[in-house]
Amino acid sequence: MEAILQNSTDFVLLGLITHLKSPGLVFAVIFSIFVVAVTANVAMIMLIHIDSHLHTPMYFLLSQLSIMDTIYICITVPKMLQDLLSKEKTISFVGCALQIFLYLTLIGGEFFLLGLMAYDRYVAVCNPLRYPVLMSRRVCVLMVLGSWAGGSLDGLMLTPVTMSFPYCGSRDINHFFCEIPAVLKLSCTDTSLYETLMYACCVLMLLIPIAIISVSYTRILITVHRMSSAEGRRKAFATCSSHIMVVSIFYGAAFYTNVLPHSYHTPEKDKVVSAFYTILTPMLNPVIYSLRNRDVAAALRKVLGRHTSFHRIQVRAVTGKS
């Protein structure tokens, strides 16, 4: 209790770039990325909800990924943008704890969801006849709930312990959000044992979905190799390529953050990698899926076509009245 009371003061976020000469330019770039990311993810969610052709397990899981990405980028970027325009870059103790919990929940949820999306592709390619049974609506809902529960468990385990350490020295966090390693550097006690346990927890969190992804795509490659039809191979690769790109980007950054030893880390590198998967990845995911997916592109053209036709009818109606 004494440690909590001692900690119940504001922290200061030093930002992505500590000594920034042109905050307006950085603000414009990050704000543009933020708007594109939120717009693209919301558009993806709406398209999947509106178009009946996208009411399949794959697109249901994809819509959940877009929901996670939308919340994920909203956890850090608005505060980051506010700090770029403000002299006061403080964040309260409770605000920092909430940011850590939500960040861990969302990143953990995405770990599991991407693994389950690989399983979905495995069933679609390797067991197409059993796909409606193995990937029923109930199974998909359980997958999504399991992903959220797994991420929440990570947040519930690590957040209270992180915030219970006494922070009796500097309150300056050398980061643009409350990421655990950056916060722990301010503690005036030895946190090495906790960091080791946290490292083991994060590696386990990565290994489970990576194992699912590896097994799923190994089976997919074997099945595709045995296909006699070139068209069947093309469709299988087209179905999986977007997911492979998203997995490579997301897990590549996660591998650096959670698996590489401390000797490979510097505050500057950590901030750049964190910016990549907290700011850029939520923007890239819907772009990759929309540009490389014919069904999503067709659904978007259909919606835009309806909007254009409706606008023309309105214009004609107004012109006819006049």
Side-chain angles (χ1 to χ4, degrees), residues 41-191:
N41 279 293
V42 171
M44 183 72 75
I45 296 165
M46 292 180 65
L47 278 177
I48 292 170
H49 177 72
I50 292 170
D51 197 304
S52 59
H53 294 95
L54 302 182
H55 293 175
T56 63
M58 181 180 79
Y59 292 109
F60 174 72
L61 296 177
L62 180 56
S63 70
Q64 298 304 310
L65 179 65
S66 291
I67 291 171
M68 288 184 177
D69 280 337
T70 304
I71 302 172
Y72 190 36
I73 198 170
C74 290
I75 293 169
T76 57
V77 173
K79 173 60 180 169
M80 183 184 183
L81 293 171
Q82 179 188 343
D83 290 344
L84 284 169
L85 299 180
S86 173
K87 292 182 179 180
E88 297 292 331
K89 305 180 187 297
T90 58
I91 183 170
S92 68
F93 179 82
V94 174
C96 190
L98 183 62
Q99 202 173 58
I100 289 174
F101 171 74
L102 292 174
Y103 158 75
L104 290 173
T105 297
L106 268 299
I107 196 171
E110 286 208 23
F111 283 159
F112 290 118
L113 186 63
L114 287 171
L116 293 171
M117 289 173 73
Y119 171 76
D120 168 73
R121 293 299 82 211
Y122 155 72
V123 176
V125 174
C126 302
N127 294 286
L129 297 179
R130 298 184 63 196
Y131 186 76
V133 177
L134 295 176
M135 291 300 298
S136 65
R137 181 74 178 181
R138 180 174 176 274
V139 171
C140 291
V141 171
L142 289 174
M143 283 182 169
V144 171
L145 292 176
S147 298
W148 280 102
S152 299
L153 182 62
D154 192 32
L156 288 170
M157 286 193 303
L158 299 181
T159 305
V161 180
T162 300
M163 303 313 290
S164 67
F165 286 108
Y167 296 100
C168 48
S170 170
R171 315 297 291 190
D172 295 344
I173 301 174
N174 189 12
H175 216 299
F176 61 90
F177 75 103
C178 290
E179 192 169 35
I180 290 180
V183 174
L184 289 177
K185 288 178 181 178
L186 305 184
S187 176
C188 48
T189 59
D190 183 19
T191 61

Side-chain angles (χ1 to χ4, degrees), residues 220-279:
I220 287 171
L221 287 174
I222 293 171
T223 302
V224 170
H225 178 70
R226 292 173 178 171
M227 287 181 179
S228 57
S229 168
E231 181 66 16
R233 290 183 182 182
R234 188 194 63 77
K235 286 183 178 179
F237 279 122
T239 302
C240 301
S241 60
S242 298
H243 184 254
I244 292 172
M245 289 180 66
V246 170
V247 164
S248 301
I249 293 170
F250 191 75
Y251 280 93
F255 182 85
Y256 169 86
T257 303
N258 300 301
V259 177
L260 288 183
H262 289 295
S263 57
Y264 288 88
H265 291 256
T266 65
E268 289 71 26
K269 286 181 181 178
D270 289 349
K271 286 192 285 186
V272 170
V273 174
S274 295
F276 183 79
Y277 66 75
T278 57
I279 301 173

